[in-house]
Each structure stands twice: as C-alpha cells, then as structure tokens.
Amino acid sequence: MRILHTSDWHLGRAFHRVTMLGAQSAFIGHLVTTVRERGVDAVVVSGDVYDRAVPPLAAVELFDDALHRLADLGVPTVMISGNHDSARRLGVGAGLIGRAGIHLRTDPSACGTPVVLQDDFGDVAFYGLPYLEPALVKDEFGVGKPGHEAVLAAAMDRVRADLATRARGTRSVVLAHAFVTGGEASDSERDITVGGVAAVPAGVFDGVDYAALGHLHGCQTITERVRYSGSPLPYSFSEADHRKSMWLVDLDADGAVTAERVDCPVPRALARIRGTLEELLADPELARHEEAWVEATLTDAVRPADPMARLAERFPHTLSLVFAPERAPDDPEVSYARRLAGRSEQEIAEDFVAHVRGAGPDEDEQGVLRDAFDAVRADEAVREVAR
C-alpha cells in the first residue's frame, strides 16, 4: 500500500503578516497531483489542519475545496486534529464526510477504532490519535498524574489491544500529533509542555508498522517506522534551512517500510542575514538572497537611520528586522528580550524568585511553579476548545 503522509497545514496562518492562503492553495493542488500521478492508495494528515480553533472563512473554504478534491480522486484520506485545531469543530459532520472516503478522527475515545483499508495483501488498519491534551483526556484514559507520555501510552494500549483481535498479517498505521524524543523543534510550534516535559519516547509506538507524526514542522526520521512529514510551508525564519516535503511511504506485504520525500512548492526562499547595515547593503555574497523573504539582524553599535527602508532597496522582501549590537552578555545595554532568549517560562520565573529573595526556589517550590504554569496552559486549552 502506498501512503502519502503530510501534516501541519495550518490553513489560515500568515508568515510575518504575509498571507499564505495562495501558497496553501498551491500546496493542496500539488497534493492532489501527487496522489493522482504517484499511484497513492491512502492519504494521512497528522493534525493542525487549521492554524487556530476558529479559523477565518477563507481557510475553511480552502479546507472544503481540499476535501472535495480528495474525495473526487476516490483515494481514502485519514485526518486527525492537532493542538491548533478545535477537535469538535473539525469533527463536525465526520460521519457524513466519511461516506466520501474522508475519515476525520478527532475523538480521543475512538483511538482504538481504526479505518480499515485493503490492498492485494490484506487489511491495513489506520488508527487516528488526535492531539491528546493531558488535562482534558486523563479521565478518558484512566491516568493519574496527567502527562503526554501517560495518555499517549494509554491510547497506544488501546491500539495494540484492537490490533491483537484482527486477522493475522493485518498491517497497521498510527497517526499521532505529539513531540517525540529525538525530534527537532522550530520557533513556529506552540509549546505543549506539561509538568516540565513535552516529549515522549519513540518506543511508545512499538508494535505498529508505521507512525505518521505531526506537530514538528521539520521533515525528519525518528526511526525508519516513526517519521514527521513536517509542515508543507515555512511558518518562521527558524525553518530557513528546512526542505519542505511529504513522505511517500510504501508498506509491503510483511509491513516493511520504504519512504521517499516528495518536495512541496514553496512560494519564496527564506534567508537570515546578519551584520552591520553597510555590510548587508554592500556584500556581494548576499546577492542570492535579494528575492528571498529576509530576516535581517543588524549588529551596528548605534541604531542606523531608516534601516528597513534602506534594506528594502536591496532586499525588497525583508519581513523581519532585529537589532543585536555585538556586546558582552553582561553589558547593561543588552536588551531584556536578548537576556531572556531561549529561556523557558519556568526558568524565567525561577530567576525572578532568585532576584527577589537572593536564592532560587527549592525543589518543592519548583513543583509549585510548574503546576501553576501547567494549570494556566490547560485552562487556555479548555477555553480554546470551548470557543
């Protein structure tokens, strides 16, 4: 069976205020063409179809167009909701849409109920595990202290239990939206940390033939059977070095996996350039970036006049301008934002406690801070779903 694995469409998202709807529409066209020309038997979309719980109308229309085009191909599609999606909204009409061969899996309680497809060698069971927010699904899965590993492991137990009841030789594919240990993150993913931990071990997917992952925006191989497709388009300058693609996965009669990357059309290259303003305007090596979307970091000791306008004369698609004068980290002139760069909310709070009272929090106090951040994040997730 030939499977096309994609995820993290983020329909409706902009890139530094530049609309991406045209590029997202072009990607949908590319997806449909790939399915038709490469003999794809099934499409899997591993979450974050939309960029937010209540997407703009133009994004909903594009999703509707994608559903119709995929249904017209007659190729089954399995989709799950991600942490950016409203599972309840995405799942509206799932029963009716399923009759057209588009299977939306947004209900955590249905993790152990697969979409079963057939090829010349028998059945392939596709299990959709939507994003599992620990605070919201802990009761469903009967876990004590909520955490990503606990709820995902409980969901996979249901998958393996169902698989054990099926005919010998049934192959299996799991769709999941999670941060798996060994994956490389970028700046455009929403933090899903719970209890100070965001990642789960790849071993949680043991027992299935292929795990089609979503959430991380870089295409990457965790193991031969556990892969991220990544987002089809860039959504932050931290993705400047990404090769945007999908996985074309062949699952043979015995469940062995071979995979090929299929490149996605990207509207414009990304470039991060750094130096003084005069250096950036004069360096001939930067000519290759003149048509790219540019993030420019200026290292001038004194902020130059009209830097954006002057940069735009050479790099007309400059979208981000960062000032980072080259100073020692302990220099009082170093900005507050630069001092906090790369530090988590927990670390910033612990630094504040140390600053106020002269000593950092002890282990119990660290736990209190961690629980407080988890509670706020869980409350935000509940509010997002309820919108």
Side-chain angles (χ1 to χ4, degrees):
M1 181 170 287
R2 174 161 284 186
I3 302 161
L4 187 64
H5 167 200
T6 179
S7 72
D8 295 273
W9 295 358
H10 288 278
L11 299 182
R13 186 167 187 159
F15 181 77
H16 288 267
R17 301 177 302 281
V18 174
T19 180
M20 296 292 275
L21 278 170
Q24 290 168 341
S25 179
F27 161 69
I28 297 299
H30 171 68
L31 172 72
V32 170
T33 298
T34 302
V35 172
R36 184 174 57 247
E37 294 183 352
R38 298 299 301 272
V40 171
D41 299 305
V43 176
V44 298
V45 186
S46 300
D48 282 353
V49 174
Y50 291 123
D51 187 56
R52 56 181 186 265
V54 185
L57 179 58
V60 177
E61 291 173 339
L62 181 54
F63 180 58
D64 181 63
D65 177 62
L67 293 182
H68 279 84
R69 295 173 74 178
L70 287 168
D72 287 345
L73 290 173
V75 175
T77 299
V78 184
M79 297 183 174
I80 61 171
S81 49
N83 61 301
H84 280 250
D85 298 309
S86 166
R88 291 168 62 186
R89 281 187 170 82
L90 189 64
V92 169
L96 286 173
I97 295 171
R99 296 181 186 179
I102 310 294
H103 306 278
L104 300 174
R105 290 294 185 264
T106 63
D107 182 0
S109 68
C111 284
T113 305
V115 176
V116 180
L117 305 178
Q118 290 82 33
D119 65 8
D120 293 340
F121 305 106
D123 290 348
V124 181
F126 289 77
Y127 296 90
L129 279 55
Y131 172 67
L132 303 174
E133 173 60 47
L136 302 183
V137 301
K138 61 181 178 66
D139 293 336
E140 167 65 33
F141 292 106
V143 301
K145 189 177 177 69
H148 289 293
E149 183 175 355
V151 296
L152 194 53
M156 284 300 302
D157 284 343
R158 294 189 183 182
V159 168
R160 284 184 284 265
D162 179 84
L163 194 56
T165 68
R166 299 195 172 270
R168 183 179 178 85
T170 298
R171 289 152 293 157
S172 54
V173 175
V174 165
L175 290 72
H177 197 86
F179 191 154
V180 174
T181 303
E184 183 177 343
S186 61
D187 294 343
S188 52
E189 296 122 9
R190 184 180 293 169
D191 181 25
I192 59 171
T193 300
V194 173
V197 178
V200 300
V204 76
F205 298 107
D206 287 351
V208 297
D209 294 308
Y210 184 69
L213 301 182
H215 180 58
L216 300 185
H217 288 182
C219 181
Q220 46 202 299
T221 300
I222 306 301
T223 73
E224 287 303 306
R225 296 185 182 275
V226 180
R227 298 171 187 262
Y228 283 98
S229 68
S231 61
L233 293 164
Y235 293 114
S236 73
F237 277 102
S238 66
E239 300 169 54
D241 295 329
H242 286 189
R243 173 187 162 194
K244 294 301 181 182
S245 57
M246 304 176 284
W247 284 114
L248 194 63
V249 176
D250 286 320
L251 198 63
D252 76 6
D254 298 318
V257 170
T258 57
E260 172 192 347
R261 289 180 71 173
V262 178
D263 290 330
C264 295
V266 176
R268 196 177 295 279
L270 271 59
R272 298 178 113 171
I273 58 178
R274 181 184 182 93
T276 66
L277 179 58
E278 295 304 325
E279 289 171 345
L280 298 184
L281 294 176
D283 188 351
E285 290 294 318
L286 299 180
R288 66 186 188 278
H289 300 314
E290 289 177 355
E291 294 303 316
W293 279 324
V294 168
E295 178 185 72
T297 299
L298 299 185
T299 59
D300 301 75
V302 177
R303 185 174 301 212
D306 299 321
M308 183 62 95
R310 294 172 65 188
L311 277 169
E313 291 179 4
R314 184 180 187 189
F315 307 102
H317 305 289
T318 301
L319 299 182
S320 176
L321 186 58
V322 180
F323 293 98
E326 293 184 342
R327 299 187 175 106
D330 57 353
D331 189 314
E333 294 299 317
V334 172
S335 72
Y336 181 69
R338 285 187 65 194
R339 291 199 299 274
L340 296 185
R343 301 187 67 73
S344 67
E345 293 173 333
Q346 177 86 15
E347 290 170 329
I348 293 169
E350 291 176 7
D351 288 348
F352 176 75
V353 172
H355 173 75
V356 169
R357 72 180 188 192
D362 60 27
E363 187 174 335
D364 289 340
E365 292 168 332
Q366 289 174 351
V368 170
L369 288 171
R370 190 178 302 113
D371 290 345
F373 283 120
D374 286 350
V376 170
R377 198 185 59 76
D379 182 64
E380 289 175 346
V382 171
R383 291 173 183 271
E384 184 94 341
V385 169
R387 289 177 65 190

